[in-house]
Amino acid sequence: MTATSDLGNPQLASPDLLRSVFRRHAAGVAVITARGDAGPVGFTATSLASVSAEPPMLSFGISLGASSWPAIAATDHIGVHILGDHQQELAATFAKSGADRFGAPTAWREGPEGVPVLDDVLAWLVCRIVARVPAGDHRIVLAEVALGDPTGPGRPLLYHQGRFNGLRD
C-alpha cells in the first residue's frame, strides 16, 4: 500500500455527510405497504436488504417520524414491492409526504394477511415482522418472507443522486 496525503475534502460525521455519501450509492427502489387502522399505508424504501436465506428474511429502515411508522409498528405483516423502471411516478408518490398513495392512479389489491399488494411490480413479497430494532431516529424492521411472486416483467428502478433512474446497458 502506498501512503498518500491527498484525501480530498474529509468532513466530520453529520447527517449531511451521510446523505451526501449515500446520494452517490445507487440503490434499488421498493415500496413497503401495510394495513393500517385508517386504511392502507406505504412508503418508498431504498434500504431494503436480504438478511438470511434460511429462513428467508429481509430488512428495511423506517423513520420514527414517517406517517407509515404507526401502522408498521402495530402490524404483523407487510408487503414488499420491487419497482420497475416504468414506475418512477409510483415511487415518487410513495416518497411524497401527504400524498394519497393508494388513490388513482395507484393500482393495488388486498393480498394475503390483508396486506396491500401493488400491481405491475417486478416482484412482491408478503412478510411477517419478527423484530423492530432501534437505530437512531429509525427502526430496522426484520421480516420473514411468507410468500411472493418474482415474475413481473421489466427492469429495476434505481435511486441515485436524488433521482429515480433505470439501468443503462
Side-chain angles (χ1 to χ4, degrees):
M1 181 190 318
T2 304
T4 179
S5 61
D6 184 12
L7 295 177
N9 294 315
Q11 301 172 26
L12 293 176
S14 70
D16 286 340
L17 173 62
L18 187 67
R19 286 186 201 99
S20 294
V21 167
F22 274 88
R23 278 189 200 105
R24 301 184 67 91
H25 174 70
V29 180
V31 168
I32 310 298
T33 61
R35 180 177 54 195
D37 289 340
V41 301
F43 64 98
T44 299
T46 56
S47 61
L48 183 67
S50 172
V51 172
S52 168
E54 290 292 332
M57 192 175 292
L58 57 82
S59 70
F60 60 89
I62 181 170
S63 169
L64 296 174
S67 61
S68 297
W69 170 243
I72 300 293
T75 194
D76 292 329
H77 291 86
I78 49 101
V80 176
H81 308 82
I82 307 301
L83 300 191
D85 61 4
H86 62 286
Q87 295 179 302
Q88 292 183 16
E89 287 183 33
L90 183 67
T93 296
F94 276 84
K96 191 180 306 174
S97 181
D100 181 6
R101 297 171 178 161
F102 289 89
T106 301
W108 65 281
R109 63 198 176 285
E110 185 174 310
E113 304 294 339
V115 171
V117 175
L118 301 176
D119 291 348
D120 199 29
V121 295
L122 294 187
W124 61 266
L125 299 166
V126 171
C127 304
R128 181 181 60 84
I129 294 177
V130 296
R132 296 168 187 88
V133 181
D137 61 357
H138 279 61
R139 291 294 181 266
I140 304 301
V141 177
L142 296 171
E144 188 172 352
V145 176
L147 69 141
D149 181 356
T151 62
R155 296 167 56 101
L157 182 63
L158 299 178
Y159 188 72
H160 179 251
Q161 292 288 56
R163 295 181 42 224
F164 297 112
N165 299 283
L167 287 175
R168 292 189 195 133
D169 288 329

